[in-house]
Amino acid sequence: MGREGRGWRVRGWAAVVSAAALVAAAAAGAVLPLQDGEDREQPKARAAATGAPAAAPGKAAADDGCGGHPEASLRPSSASGPAIERIRKRGKLVIGVDQNGYRWSYRDPVSRKIVGFDIDLAKAIAKDILGSEDDILYKTVPTAKRFDAVNNRDVDLLVRTVSITCERIKEKHIAFSTAYFEAGQQLLVPRQGSTVKGFDSSVKGKRICVAQGSTGQAELEKEKERLRPRVLLVANQLDCLVMLQLGEADAVFTDNALAAGQAAQDPAVRLVGTPVTTEYYGVAMNEQDTDLVRRVNKVLEDYRAGGPDSHWMQAYRTWLEADLPGIEGPPAPLYKD
């Protein structure tokens, strides 16, 4: 039976972009460079002060092995080391990105360039290390394969709305920059006809779509006995929006910052409930590349500086303010050394 006969329908311009993501997901086992020679072109979070770096977190005991603050990173430095020299010798900074994260990192349908909040940050890192924001090779990386790409050195770093977690540091062997954005897991549902009200008993028996390897999947695993949802796993988070649009999922569980962009694309969906986690986005790198971690933190230190006139706030006003209003600044950085 055809989809029309089953009453499925696709809503809005987002579906055009999202449908392409389904095709890309079929080849999700590999990290694929973007085509067409474009490698040279290029939620309401808790507001924090944007001045000098915060002091290192205290020594409070924690069972997670990260001192209770996985978002604490290495102190910034502009010194070069093996990773920086490797990048300079190549002449390109290879960055893992998402090309479907509306407002964050997506291919603009008019210019065909990859643009967004994360891309502005990626360009700032490239300019600091190589002298030009155009010296970037973007590689699209599926959510489920992104840490493999870092560990295998298919990419130098990920700028891809990656949440900082202790598990990723300890078990995936990923090093993170300081936090550059705060988000939380929340549910996205159809605006009409949905009985899902939030991350509560209303999800019992419902088909909840989540990206494999995401913090949303980890949260659903923790709560599956209590809430008993039917979990649908996909390789890329945007595939969940397609399933929601086609009626194959009842809700999407993802970062509210990403979901706000999806709701901006498709007015037939909306966020419900409140965020159930507090998460910080960081730039992800190979744990051995300590000089690169410190260099990225130096870039972020400069990126945050300037209060309302900072590069961070300029990028926020350009890409995110319309869908995530009221944010006064980035999270204050924490350092562990």
Side-chain angles (χ1 to χ4, degrees), residues 34 38 42 99 105-107 112-116 119 138:
L34 300 184
E38 294 185 23
Q42 319 281 284
Q99 64 173 341
S105 175
Y106 68 102
R107 189 179 291 277
R112 300 298 299 157
K113 295 180 181 180
I114 300 293
V115 296
I119 300 306
Y138 295 115

Side-chain angles (χ1 to χ4, degrees), residues 32-99:
L32 303 175
L34 300 184
Q35 303 300 313
D36 305 323
E38 294 185 23
D39 56 305
R40 294 185 59 87
E41 297 181 345
Q42 319 281 284
K44 181 173 180 178
R46 181 176 62 223
T50 59
K59 300 295 184 179
D63 294 332
D64 64 2
C66 296
H69 289 281
E71 73 275 19
S73 185
L74 300 175
R75 286 196 173 273
S77 172
S78 58
S80 297
I84 298 296
E85 292 305 318
R86 184 179 68 243
I87 293 165
R88 285 178 171 167
K89 184 177 180 179
R90 186 196 305 127
K92 289 280 189 179
L93 181 64
V94 184
I95 300 183
V97 298
D98 180 4
Q99 64 173 341

Side-chain angles (χ1 to χ4, degrees), residues 316-328:
Y316 165 71
R317 287 192 289 267
T318 298
W319 301 110
L320 305 179
E321 187 174 32
D323 306 312
L324 293 167
I327 297 176
E328 297 175 11

Side-chain angles (χ1 to χ4, degrees), residues 5 11 23-24 66 116 145 334:
R11 307 179 183 96
V23 177
C66 296
K145 298 292 184 180
L334 291 178

Side-chain angles (χ1 to χ4, degrees), residues 158-174:
L158 297 173
V159 188
R160 196 187 179 283
T161 58
V162 183
S163 296
I164 304 169
T165 71
C166 191
E167 182 268 341
R168 290 169 175 175
I169 294 168
K170 295 295 184 181
E171 298 182 23
K172 303 294 185 181
H173 306 291
I174 298 297

Side-chain angles (χ1 to χ4, degrees), residues 148-201:
D148 292 339
V150 173
N151 289 327
N152 295 337
R153 297 196 184 281
D154 294 316
V155 299
D156 296 312
L157 46 84
L158 297 173
V159 188
R160 196 187 179 283
T161 58
V162 183
S163 296
I164 304 169
T165 71
C166 191
E167 182 268 341
R168 290 169 175 175
I169 294 168
K170 295 295 184 181
E171 298 182 23
K172 303 294 185 181
H173 306 291
I174 298 297
F176 286 98
S177 70
T178 52
Y180 67 86
F181 202 85
E182 181 183 325
Q185 296 294 310
Q186 198 168 346
L187 287 160
L188 186 74
V189 302
R191 188 172 292 276
Q192 300 294 328
S194 176
T195 59
V196 175
K197 305 302 182 186
F199 201 62
D200 52 30
S201 59

Side-chain angles (χ1 to χ4, degrees), residues 76-78 128 293-303:
S77 172
S78 58
D128 183 83
V293 175
R294 294 185 187 277
R295 186 61 170 261
V296 170
N297 283 340
K298 178 64 171 67
V299 175
L300 281 168
E301 187 179 59
D302 297 337
Y303 204 69

